[in-house]
Amino acid sequence: MKVGILTFHNTTNYGATLQAYALSTIIGSQGHDVEIIDYCPYKVEKYYKKDLYFIDKNRRLNRRIFDNLLKYYKTRKFLVSKTNISKKKYATSAELKKINSSYEVVVCGSDQIWCIDSFRGFDSAYFLDFIDNKTDIIKISYAASFGHTMRLRNYRELICQLISNFSAISVRDANSRRLLKEECNEQAVKVLDPTFLIEYDEYFLDKKFKKEYLLIYIISGITLEQKTFIKFIANYKNLEIISVGKYVDIATKNIIGIGPKEWINYFSHASYIMTNTYHGTIFSILFRKPFIVLDTLNKANKINDLLKDFNLENRLNSKSNFIENFNKNILDIEYSLIEEDINQAISNSKNFLKTTINSK
């Protein structure tokens, strides 16, 4: 079966890159010919490249520009080498109409492709509006998400109409499932992010540092109280503090210019992880690492939902006075208690893909 994937892939974000890689890999492993549709609207490409051209107030290139360039190069190289990306690049939904005869199945997802409250805004292409309903192309969503969008507002009628043409709908969080039920009267299956569905052993390289370390992986900023808490845990566990992907002033080492392979490797060798990101949380669970999520409002829906699914709600640090309420019993995680739940969720998610793609 020829399968096209429409997702967020043209980005320097590690989570977005790895979810695209994972979805392509798992569908390919099920015996299909898979291709990522190289769709990147102009404003999105401009947004992700903004850090590559930053000039300071003295008209000099910021020193971190070189780390950002290296990160961009390595991320793109990883995806190009590990997946099959369409030869044709598309920038608009109108251009995408040309692919109608190219695939037997088109899968949209994962990631927040349906979020209408981000810098991307509403983009009907991610609801597969470019596929002619007169064709017999199967339209499927896999682990799609509305992100922090709580109401469909002016886009409700169009979204519901487009969704009604899908053969199967799956989402990765309860909020997305609620929106589809309440506003479109559509039932969606809740599945895992595709990064859960594959193995990463080939990226477990040699350990870079002899000393045990606490790994920080953040996207948005962290508060002074959270920094104090990170240092407290690092001292308590006698760990060096290392940050990947973003500069954090309390880190002994800040490692920015790395690609997905190196990023995975740093996670695999960490003794403890602090993150405020969805995929940072996922890879902590995947590698069975002790971790704590630093609370962030704009990611609350998806992270809280994930933690709840595996009875890990106590991983969320939502109090500024956490040190005063510190209980060493919550430092570590007894993964054996949730191993069966994780494995069952992975199996169900794989079966959703296998069953729906083969329904033609």
Side-chain angles (χ1 to χ4, degrees):
M1 197 87 72
K2 180 71 172 180
V3 180
I5 296 174
L6 191 72
T7 188
F8 295 163
H9 70 287
N10 201 340
T11 169
T12 56
N13 181 282
Y14 296 116
T17 299
L18 288 168
Q19 66 81 22
Y21 160 68
L23 185 56
S24 175
T25 300
I26 188 62
I27 293 176
S29 73
Q30 294 178 344
H32 303 290
D33 181 9
V34 189
E35 185 173 84
I36 293 177
I37 302 169
D38 200 5
Y39 174 59
C40 186
Y42 298 119
K43 70 174 181 179
V44 174
E45 190 162 22
K46 181 179 179 181
Y47 176 86
Y48 281 115
K49 287 184 176 179
K50 68 183 188 302
D51 291 334
L52 304 183
Y53 309 106
F54 180 77
I55 298 177
D56 68 18
K57 62 182 179 180
N58 296 316
R59 307 299 297 173
R60 294 174 302 186
L61 285 174
N62 185 294
R63 177 63 185 87
R64 292 177 196 159
I65 192 73
F66 300 106
D67 285 333
N68 290 332
L69 281 167
L70 193 57
K71 178 182 176 183
Y72 178 83
Y73 169 76
K74 287 184 176 181
T75 302
R76 184 64 180 177
K77 182 180 178 182
F78 172 84
L79 205 59
V80 169
S81 65
K82 294 293 182 179
T83 66
N84 183 24
I85 301 177
S86 66
K87 294 180 181 179
K88 172 71 175 175
K89 187 173 184 178
Y90 308 91
T92 67
S93 185
E95 291 178 359
L96 284 169
K97 292 181 183 294
K98 299 174 184 178
I99 74 171
N100 266 295
S101 60
S102 302
Y103 308 103
E104 297 170 87
V105 179
V106 176
V107 180
C108 62
S110 157
D111 222 320
Q112 299 182 65
I113 58 169
W114 292 345
C115 182
I116 62 177
D117 296 319
S118 72
F119 76 93
R120 293 172 179 265
F122 171 69
D123 188 343
S124 58
Y126 290 104
F127 293 89
L128 307 185
D129 70 332
F130 56 90
I131 296 178
D132 189 341
N133 292 325
K134 295 178 181 179
T135 69
D136 59 353
I137 298 173
I138 294 175
K139 294 194 280 189
I140 298 169
S141 73
Y142 182 80
S145 175
F146 284 99
H148 56 279
T149 297
M150 301 305 291
R151 290 288 181 268
L152 302 186
R153 302 192 300 278
N154 297 335
Y155 305 106
R156 177 179 174 274
E157 185 176 349
L158 177 57
I159 288 174
C160 292
Q161 178 186 343
L162 292 172
I163 286 290
S164 68
N165 294 316
F166 277 59
S167 298
I169 308 167
S170 69
V171 295
R172 71 181 190 186
D173 58 84
N175 178 57
S176 297
R177 185 165 57 180
R178 176 193 64 79
L179 274 173
L180 289 174
K181 174 60 178 175
E182 292 180 1
E183 303 214 24
C184 298
N185 196 29
E186 292 283 354
Q187 296 287 349
V189 177
K190 187 177 171 184
V191 295
L192 292 178
D193 186 271
T195 50
F196 271 106
L197 309 185
I198 65 172
E199 302 293 331
Y200 301 91
D201 295 13
E202 64 181 295
Y203 306 119
F204 295 173
L205 310 174
D206 292 337
K207 189 175 181 180
K208 298 290 184 181
F209 303 104
K210 292 182 180 180
K211 188 174 181 180
E212 301 296 306
Y213 60 88
L214 180 153
L215 185 71
I216 300 175
Y217 177 58
I218 63 171
I219 295 295
S220 54
I222 53 178
T223 66
L224 178 60
E225 289 83 0
Q226 289 172 335
K227 290 179 183 180
T228 301
F229 179 60
I230 291 172
K231 290 192 290 185
F232 173 79
I233 296 298
N235 289 333
Y236 187 89
K237 303 282 286 184
N238 191 29
L239 301 173
E240 185 176 4
I241 300 175
I242 293 175
S243 177
V244 292
K246 190 178 183 70
Y247 178 82
V248 179
D249 57 7
I250 61 171
T252 305
K253 292 182 176 65
N254 284 279
I255 303 158
I256 313 299
I258 59 173
K261 293 180 182 179
E262 299 157 292
W263 185 87
I264 291 170
N265 193 47
Y266 279 111
F267 266 78
S268 73
H269 290 297
S271 295
Y272 213 90
I273 295 171
M274 293 282 194
T275 186
N276 63 8
T277 75
Y278 183 66
H279 283 99
T281 304
I282 287 177
F283 277 85
S284 298
I285 296 171
L286 273 173
F287 298 156
R288 307 302 192 258
K289 298 293 182 178
F291 70 95
I292 288 177
V293 176
L294 305 171
D295 195 17
T296 176
L297 292 177
N298 69 336
K299 297 180 184 295
N301 280 336
K302 57 182 181 180
I303 295 180
N304 291 357
D305 200 56
L306 175 63
L307 295 174
K308 184 177 180 180
D309 283 347
F310 297 128
N311 297 312
L312 293 172
E313 296 97 320
N314 66 345
R315 296 295 98 198
L316 183 64
N317 170 24
S318 58
K319 300 177 181 178
S320 60
N321 63 339
F322 200 80
I323 293 176
E324 287 80 357
N325 297 325
F326 175 67
N327 179 350
K328 65 180 181 180
N329 292 328
I330 69 105
L331 274 179
D332 299 316
I333 302 173
E334 187 59 66
Y335 277 104
S336 62
L337 299 177
I338 59 173
E339 197 77 36
E340 185 176 345
D341 292 335
I342 295 173
N343 290 336
Q344 185 60 58
I346 290 173
S347 177
N348 292 343
S349 298
K350 288 180 177 179
N351 285 337
F352 173 87
L353 277 171
K354 184 176 181 179
T355 302
T356 55
I357 291 177
N358 288 327
S359 64
K360 187 167 183 175

